[in-house]
Amino acid sequence: QPGRPDRDCPVHPLATRGTKAMKSKAGFTLIEIMVSLVLVGLIAGIAGTSVITATKSYLFARENNAITQKAQLALNRLNREIIELSNIRDASSTCVVYESPYGRRAVARLGNTVRLFTGYGSMVCPTEGGDVLVDGVQGFSILYNPIPNGTVSLWSLGQDIKNLFVVNIQLVLSRPDTGGTVPFYMTVSPRNNNNSGGAALPTAASP
């Protein structure tokens, strides 16, 4: 009949194929996208934290190595100086004026530095000048014949220099990266002051 759809009219093949194509091209749902974004964020956060931790560890190790090298250079020079001393003219917990085969010298902490004075003309501890051995110093102490694991000197100025057997030095340097400090220790036995382990004064040119 006119105007009445024919229920028996067959569906065109192209129409069916288009419907299937539309169904096969259906995209992600909103929930799937949100879950994917959350997972990506978690992975990125874990990776970023690992990178930051590794970077901090590297910088810490590099700074630690630099401080250790700086302290080692200073302590090696102090070891050479103290081991060669033959007499002491002035001494305190942060300074020592001494005679050596190369003339009178002094080592002292001035501010945040430890300094070496060669060709020193005074008999008392210096208050200025000298050559900087190490900077960034937060602590520096000298102990003469200290008691074991103690902070008290058993030898003091005015006693026989032959009774000086051991000098302990503590050097504390600051860490610019963390604001902390790193301590270093050294024990030296003088050999030219005629103590039980001493020897005759050598004749040598100044280093």
Side-chain angles (χ1 to χ4, degrees), residues 4-204:
R4 182 179 178 181
D6 191 355
R7 296 181 179 178
D8 297 331
C9 181
V11 178
H12 195 279
L14 292 177
T16 304
R17 186 180 306 170
T19 302
K20 292 181 179 179
M22 290 179 63
K23 290 183 179 179
S24 63
K25 293 181 179 179
F28 295 105
T29 66
L30 179 60
I31 294 178
E32 291 173 335
I33 294 175
M34 292 179 64
V35 171
S36 299
L37 291 175
V38 170
L39 291 176
V40 170
L42 289 175
I43 295 173
I46 294 173
T49 301
S50 300
V51 170
I52 292 174
T53 302
T55 302
K56 287 183 177 179
S57 298
Y58 167 75
L59 294 176
F60 184 87
R62 186 179 67 176
E63 184 66 23
N64 192 60
N65 184 59
I67 291 176
T68 301
Q69 289 184 350
K70 183 166 69 171
Q72 193 63 49
L73 288 172
L75 291 176
N76 285 344
R77 184 55 189 266
L78 290 174
N79 180 77
R80 289 177 52 192
E81 295 296 323
I82 300 301
I83 204 172
E84 296 287 354
L85 71 80
S86 58
N87 202 357
I88 292 180
R89 302 302 182 186
D90 194 11
S92 70
S93 60
T94 59
C95 168
V96 58
V97 180
Y98 55 94
E99 303 290 345
S100 80
Y102 317 111
R104 185 174 302 154
R105 300 191 172 198
V107 171
R109 177 187 177 181
L110 298 179
N112 66 340
T113 64
V114 172
R115 305 192 180 199
L116 173 66
F117 298 77
T118 58
Y120 191 61
S122 178
M123 298 281 284
V124 297
C125 286
T127 57
E128 60 181 3
D131 300 317
V132 176
L133 285 179
V134 62
D135 57 6
V137 177
Q138 292 296 312
F140 179 71
S141 65
I142 307 173
L143 297 176
Y144 312 87
N145 286 358
I147 60 176
N149 300 320
T151 58
V152 177
S153 296
L154 300 181
W155 185 94
S156 60
L157 192 66
Q159 296 183 22
D160 193 339
I161 190 63
K162 296 179 182 179
N163 295 328
L164 179 62
F165 300 99
V166 174
V167 176
N168 283 3
I169 295 178
Q170 180 186 27
L171 176 65
V172 182
L173 299 183
S174 61
R175 289 188 65 100
D177 55 343
T178 63
T181 58
V182 183
F184 300 89
Y185 303 90
M186 180 180 68
T187 299
V188 188
S189 295
R191 67 182 183 184
N192 293 331
N193 61 334
N194 293 321
N195 62 28
S196 60
L201 283 174
T203 300

